[in-house]
Amino acid sequence: MVFFRSVSLLSKLRSRVVQQSSLNNSVRWLQVQSSSSDLDLHSQLKELIPEQQERLKKLKAEHGKFQLGNITVDMVLGGMRGMTGLLWETSLLDPDEGIRFRGLSIPECQKLLPAAKPDGEPLPEGLLWLLLTGKVPSKEQVDALSKELRSRATIPDHVYKAIDALPVTAHPMTQFATGVMALQVQSEFQKAYEKGIHKSKYWEPTYEDSLSLIAQVPVVAAYIYQRIYKDGQIIPMDDSLDYGGNFSHMLGFDSPQMQELMRLYVTIHSDHEGGNVSAHTGHLVASALSDPYLSFAAALNGLAGPLHGLANQEVLLWIKSVVAECGENITTEQLKDYVWKTLNSGKVVPGFGHGVLRKTDPRYTCQREFALKHLPDDPLFQLVSKLYEVVPPILTELGKVKNPWPNVDAHSGVLLNYFGLTEARYYTVLFGVSRSIGICSQLIWDRALGLPLERPKSVTMDWLEKYCKKAA
Ligand code: NMX
Ligand code: MLT
């Protein structure tokens, strides 16, 4: 039990997990792995699936007609905010506390998931194991998974050719989504479906595609970085490195600190329950039995929007525009003026606000802790800290913003920039690589649980007016 860094900490966490269990069904089956004997993720899943299928059947039979709340006209007109409408097993978002991955908060993941070095950041492979199985893996299991992912990371030549067909000036997210679409030609799910696979077996080729996709996206992403910003040469994978370390290496960054940052980055960006634009898009497209490549490429196109994943690019560009106009030693008054100038020109302040969160995003907080440890004197980090004081009162003063606090994107850019990854337009690709882990984990469960085609009802304004008049 190599991962047991502290037995007392673990027992504390265990009892906390048990306490949460009564509140939150999604963590009911979270266990801490007690043995490292079974290194194979696939066989673990195979064991878990019948149990979870039974659980879903029972839930439907016993509580299928239970009401979860009322749908108001505001919800229909307001982007379905607050409307519970999706099953998403891998993570759950609390408006005040933030994300929990299979019941574990980010600090708990940092303590419990295996790391590359003592007290290091969690290995994203460990999080993948946790999301898929609900269990914290041992270091041996994570090492075996790292090895498996490396063995799946070969990229067919036509993928590079498809990317190369785009102008080098194309947005990195356009190049990335194109690369993922080009990978689709190897989909095992599509081949199996064409051969007439029985629906009870759908999860197997979905698993194959998902693991391959997760393994391949860092390689495609790194190529895009080299193509746009460097000499276009592929940096080969290092077989001694894990997923996050290798991604950093293939991008051309070999410092241990940057590798640690990448492990943390990928872990915290991996999943954010099911309603966010990218996860929801992936889930919706996959509900038509589109394979994981088609579904994930669609998710990436949602992530590329400035109100969602592109906000990380927007934040660094905005911070750099502040520095360009006012210098690094900007006063609080100057910063306030700049924020108001942004708002008065009809723009949002990127990196602040959220569709669900109502407090500071714990993904922001853990990045802040990373910065305090590794780059406390960096002027851009200090500017980000100043924004934390200046922006929330201004957004509150606007009177309409439901959450004035910073989100994950408010912080990530200054960390990457500090370690030399300065090209802000590329940042959403890093988010996309990370999100493959969460979206694909849930897609495997979508198929294992036999979730149906997603097809909500829509109505017209005319319908709403008549309905409300009649009901009044
Ligand atoms: N700056 C200016 N105005 C804002 C902001 C902000 N940061 N956040 C919310 N508002 C406005 C919003 O545009 C809306 O205005 P209007 O009624 O005129 O359309 C009003 O406040 C109410 O919006 P909310 O209900 O608070 O937020 P909503 O759930 O609609 O949107 C975001 C959530 C995240 C889209 C919004 O807060 C935003 O645009 N933030 C800046 C962009 C950003 O950081 N996105 C990244 C989110 C995290 N991620 O990675 O996906
Ligand atoms: C995410 O990570 O997907 C964002 O915080 C947006 C969301 O959760 O809606």
Side-chain angles (χ1 to χ4, degrees):
M1 290 190 235
V2 191
F3 72 98
F4 282 17
R5 303 221 186 100
S6 147
V7 173
S8 67
L9 166 81
L10 194 66
S11 57
K12 258 189 249 158
L13 281 171
R14 254 194 193 138
S15 60
R16 215 173 322 157
V17 168
V18 172
Q19 271 172 18
Q20 286 158 14
S21 306
S22 54
L23 298 172
N24 168 7
N25 259 349
S26 81
V27 296
R28 205 184 62 181
W29 53 296
L30 189 136
Q31 300 164 21
V32 175
Q33 201 81 350
S34 56
S35 133
S36 60
S37 59
D38 194 347
L39 299 185
D40 177 34
L41 179 58
H42 182 271
S43 49
Q44 294 234 347
L45 259 180
K46 207 168 182 163
E47 252 179 64
L48 288 166
I49 285 171
E51 183 190 299
Q52 296 303 310
Q53 286 172 333
E54 274 314 299
R55 184 174 166 205
L56 184 71
K57 226 193 223 168
K58 192 161 174 267
L59 183 65
K60 265 194 201 166
E62 290 179 5
H63 304 296
K65 303 283 175 283
F66 204 86
Q67 287 217 336
L68 286 178
N70 292 320
I71 294 172
T72 62
V73 174
D74 271 347
M75 286 169 169
V76 172
L77 302 181
M80 296 190 279
R81 221 62 97 253
M83 197 190 282
T84 302
L86 291 172
L87 183 71
W88 192 268
E89 286 291 282
T90 49
S91 64
L92 187 68
L93 184 62
D94 179 271
D96 296 326
E97 282 189 2
I99 195 67
R100 281 184 182 272
F101 302 115
R102 290 286 188 185
L104 295 185
S105 67
I106 287 174
E108 286 166 352
C109 285
Q110 285 175 301
K111 282 175 189 131
L112 278 176
L113 290 176
K117 55 177 201 169
D119 292 324
E121 300 300 343
L123 290 164
E125 302 88 315
L127 187 86
L128 170 61
W129 188 292
L130 174 71
L131 294 183
L132 273 172
T133 67
K135 297 176 186 178
V136 174
S138 67
K139 180 71 165 68
E140 287 82 356
Q141 286 168 323
V142 167
D143 287 346
L145 184 53
S146 291
K147 196 170 165 203
E148 175 170 1
L149 291 174
R150 284 195 299 271
S151 75
R152 287 175 180 262
T154 310
I155 307 296
D157 205 40
H158 74 264
V159 175
Y160 296 118
K161 288 192 180 131
I163 294 169
D164 288 346
L166 291 168
V168 80
T169 49
H171 193 278
M173 282 300 279
T174 306
Q175 302 198 33
F176 191 33
T178 302
V180 172
M181 281 305 292
L183 284 169
Q184 190 276 339
V185 298
Q186 66 180 29
S187 168
E188 293 296 328
F189 183 88
Q190 193 188 44
K191 283 183 213 148
Y193 195 83
E194 278 169 8
K195 282 191 193 145
I197 185 175
H198 191 277
K199 65 203 299 193
S200 62
K201 302 246 182 300
Y202 284 169
W203 79 268
E204 299 257 12
T206 303
Y207 175 90
E208 288 306 314
D209 281 356
S210 294
L211 257 74
S212 298
L213 187 155
I214 292 167
Q216 289 166 326
V217 285
V219 187
V220 172
Y223 174 66
I224 291 165
Y225 184 74
Q226 301 301 337
R227 174 175 190 248
I228 303 177
Y229 303 110
K230 306 288 170 188
D231 59 6
Q233 293 305 306
I234 296 167
I235 300 178
M237 189 167 263
D238 177 342
D239 278 346
S240 70
L241 281 173
D242 54 278
Y243 189 83
N246 242 323
F247 187 23
S248 176
H249 164 72
M250 289 184 291
L251 287 166
F253 300 93
D254 282 318
S255 82
Q257 282 181 331
M258 179 63 165
Q259 291 183 356
E260 278 293 272
L261 175 62
M262 201 55 82
R263 292 174 187 123
L264 178 67
Y265 185 102
V266 173
T267 299
I268 64 173
H269 285 79
S270 62
D271 203 26
H272 216 232
E273 72 169 31
N276 67 75
V277 170
S278 52
H280 185 188
T281 305
H283 178 77
L284 166 70
V285 173
S287 83
L289 295 186
S290 302
D291 64 60
Y293 293 97
L294 295 173
S295 308
F296 183 64
L300 285 178
N301 290 326
L303 194 70
L307 296 188
H308 188 24
L310 203 81
N312 58 10
Q313 156 186 319
E314 296 299 285
V315 168
L316 197 76
L317 295 178
W318 187 83
I319 286 177
K320 288 197 168 165
S321 72
V322 173
V323 174
E325 191 164 312
C326 311
E328 272 176 358
N329 296 320
I330 185 168
T331 64
T332 302
E333 280 317 303
Q334 278 176 307
L335 198 49
K336 281 184 186 167
D337 289 347
Y338 200 90
V339 171
W340 276 115
K341 194 170 116 182
T342 301
L343 292 170
N344 291 335
S345 61
K347 297 181 194 152
V348 294
V349 180
F352 286 79
H354 201 271
V356 177
L357 282 167
R358 292 298 174 256
K359 293 271 165 65
T360 298
D361 191 336
R363 300 173 296 179
Y364 174 92
T365 310
C366 78
Q367 293 183 87
R368 177 171 168 76
E369 279 158 14
F370 190 95
L372 286 168
K373 194 164 150 194
H374 297 285
L375 46 136
D377 301 325
D378 177 53
L380 291 193
F381 166 54
Q382 287 171 359
L383 182 49
V384 164
S385 301
K386 213 174 224 174
L387 284 168
Y388 195 8
E389 290 161 28
V390 165
V391 176
I394 295 179
L395 291 183
T396 305
E397 202 180 319
L398 277 184
K400 61 177 182 178
V401 180
K402 296 196 188 62
N403 173 34
W405 301 106
N407 60 54
V408 64
D409 300 313
H411 217 305
S412 52
V414 295
L415 300 180
L416 297 162
N417 184 72
Y418 178 80
F419 290 112
L421 210 169
T422 55
E423 298 87 356
R425 274 179 106 230
Y426 183 76
Y427 288 172
T428 311
V429 176
L430 302 174
F431 197 156
V433 168
S434 317
R435 193 122 300 184
S436 68
I437 292 180
I439 292 179
C440 289
S441 297
Q442 180 59 40
L443 287 194
I444 295 168
W445 277 104
D446 287 355
R447 297 292 74 81
L449 295 172
L451 297 188
L453 179 85
E454 199 174 286
R455 205 317 185 177
K457 176 83 186 88
S458 69
V459 290
T460 60
M461 283 204 268
D462 191 43
W463 186 98
L464 282 171
E465 284 157 359
K466 283 183 183 145
Y467 183 91
C468 296
K469 220 180 250 171
K470 214 168 145 193

